[in-house]
Amino acid sequence: MFDRLKQAFQSISAAVKERQLGDEELDKALFDFQMSLVESDVAQRVAEALAHEVESGLKGVKVERSADASEVVGRQLASALEAAFSKAGTVDLVTSIKEKRKSGEPYSILFLGINGTGKTTTVARLANYLKKKGLSVACAAGDTHRPGAIEQLTEHADRLGVKVISQGYGADPAAVGRDGVLYARAHHVDCLLIDSAGRMQTNQNLMEEMAKIARVVRPDFRLFVADALTGNDAVSQAELFNEHVGFDGAVLTKADADVRGGAALSIVYSTGKPVLFLGVGQGYDDLVPFDSQKFLRSLLQP
Ligand SMILES: Nc1nc2c(ncn2[C@@H]2O[C@H](COP(=O)(O)OP(=O)(O)O)[C@@H](O)[C@H]2O)c(=O)[nH]1
Ligand SMILES: [Mg+2]
């Protein structure tokens, strides 16, 4: 996972370590760094900002040996990345759910994202994850558009022993979500997971529909699901959903097949929202909490 992104970070440290850089060489090394970030799916704007961090770090201190330069680069990148991740913060869903339950109300999570990113699969995997933490879960079949969507969710839920609340195709997803909350409240369910449709990111109707569910259901958490393999598209989708609907955190799916790795970084940088989980396969256990400290260490340590 994320190998290409790791290489990009390591190559800039190596570049400044190997030679005493003149201005021209430094410019070239910075340009190469920026390019290699972009090739690893880091959004252009974010790549530029990171290259700028390195540049100002090297200019701001007196660097006598190339080994020192490499250290400065490492420190500068580490603090820039740490600042972005700590600004986004972290969310412990299990703790938040338990907190909310003290009030007697169920905790609700609305899933957002375009078709094919892995929303329904992630609803199932999160249901499995929360059950293993000892919490009770129900799902609302909020994708009332896509043929087969309700059956897909029901099949997963049956296998996991989780109740699905649905009203069939063509129903108002906001009403399905509200039904789900009423069911969860009446049956003392800890957490309700609300699936949703996601036709096209450019579809204004989709944004309006999602905003309506959010308005009606007032979920405790809006979870944006992005497909890591779509790279920069995932970042623009994140920005779009964040602007029109708003979200509180993200899941990055298909990380098992992602060698580039820039999407996580770019989503956190450009939306200021944390990544909570990585999808690392198609099985129910293939959802792992995202550890930003571990991620940063793996990027920056040779
Ligand atoms: N390899 C891999 N495949 C995934 C992952 N998450 C989802 N998928 C696959 O992506 C496809 C679309 O998933 P689905 O949940 O139906 O997406 P939705 O349209 O957003 O609800 C399915 O074939 C899933 O098995 C993941 O983390 N890794
Ligand atoms: Mg789906």
Side-chain angles (χ1 to χ4, degrees):
M1 276 193 276
F2 311 138
D3 288 343
R4 213 182 291 174
L5 188 61
K6 286 177 201 167
Q7 276 164 21
F9 281 103
Q10 267 137 44
S11 69
I12 181 70
S13 281
V16 295
K17 196 173 196 171
E18 268 164 25
R19 38 204 147 98
Q20 292 283 354
L21 295 183
D23 281 352
E24 227 168 84
E25 284 166 312
L26 178 61
D27 282 349
K28 181 171 183 319
L30 287 172
F31 180 77
D32 289 347
F33 175 50
Q34 214 173 297
M35 284 302 111
S36 61
L37 287 175
V38 170
E39 281 162 18
S40 320
D41 278 348
V42 174
Q44 181 74 34
R45 199 159 45 82
V46 178
E48 273 168 24
L50 288 172
H52 181 75
E53 288 289 341
V54 172
E55 191 179 10
S56 63
L58 288 173
K59 287 194 173 146
V61 293
K62 193 159 178 287
V63 176
E64 302 202 316
R65 294 174 308 126
S66 46
D68 297 340
S70 169
E71 229 181 84
V72 168
V73 168
R75 263 206 315 273
Q76 195 76 8
L77 283 172
S79 72
L81 294 174
E82 264 158 26
F85 278 92
S86 74
K87 190 166 151 248
T90 50
V91 176
D92 180 350
L93 274 184
V94 173
T95 305
S96 306
I97 294 168
K98 287 181 177 163
E99 265 313 300
K100 176 91 194 262
R101 288 299 289 140
K102 287 183 189 159
S103 71
E105 286 290 305
Y107 191 90
S108 55
I109 302 176
L110 173 62
F111 283 65
L112 300 167
I114 68 159
N115 269 349
T117 53
K119 282 184 304 302
T120 305
T121 313
T122 304
V123 167
R125 289 183 293 194
L126 189 59
N128 177 53
Y129 177 85
L130 295 175
K131 277 190 74 177
K132 287 195 168 166
K133 299 281 179 187
L135 297 167
S136 58
V137 181
C139 302
D143 184 351
T144 59
H145 290 283
R146 194 187 201 176
I150 298 176
E151 289 78 3
Q152 184 195 0
L153 180 64
T154 307
E155 226 167 85
H156 284 307
D158 285 350
R159 267 187 231 134
L160 294 165
V162 166
K163 167 83 179 170
V164 175
I165 291 85
S166 86
Q167 294 183 359
Y169 295 100
D172 176 5
V176 177
R178 200 174 39 208
D179 253 17
V181 173
L182 293 177
Y183 175 92
R185 186 180 293 149
H187 293 82
H188 308 289
V189 172
D190 295 322
C191 184
L192 176 73
L193 306 177
I194 308 167
D195 195 11
S196 71
R199 283 150 300 173
M200 284 299 295
Q201 51 163 320
T202 49
N203 192 333
Q204 189 59 32
N205 289 339
L206 171 65
M207 292 300 147
E208 282 165 13
E209 184 169 288
M210 295 304 120
K212 183 182 170 193
I213 310 180
R215 246 187 350 260
V216 170
V217 177
R218 284 193 278 125
D220 295 285
F221 203 88
R222 295 158 300 176
L223 188 61
F224 172 71
V225 179
D227 174 345
L229 298 178
T230 61
N232 272 310
D233 268 356
V235 181
S236 28
Q237 288 157 24
E239 287 170 346
L240 198 75
F241 274 94
N242 197 32
E243 185 186 330
H244 292 276
V245 192
F247 66 81
D248 307 296
V251 172
L252 208 60
T253 61
K254 309 182 197 180
D256 50 313
D258 179 29
V259 291
R260 290 165 302 184
L265 201 63
S266 302
I267 288 176
V268 170
Y269 246 90
S270 61
T271 66
K273 303 292 163 57
V275 173
L276 270 60
F277 292 96
L278 295 179
V280 294
Q282 309 198 38
Y284 291 131
D285 286 326
D286 292 330
L287 186 74
V288 296
F290 178 71
D291 180 341
S292 63
Q293 289 305 316
K294 209 167 122 193
F295 177 68
L296 295 184
R297 272 199 306 277
S298 83
L299 289 187
L300 296 170
Q301 279 169 9

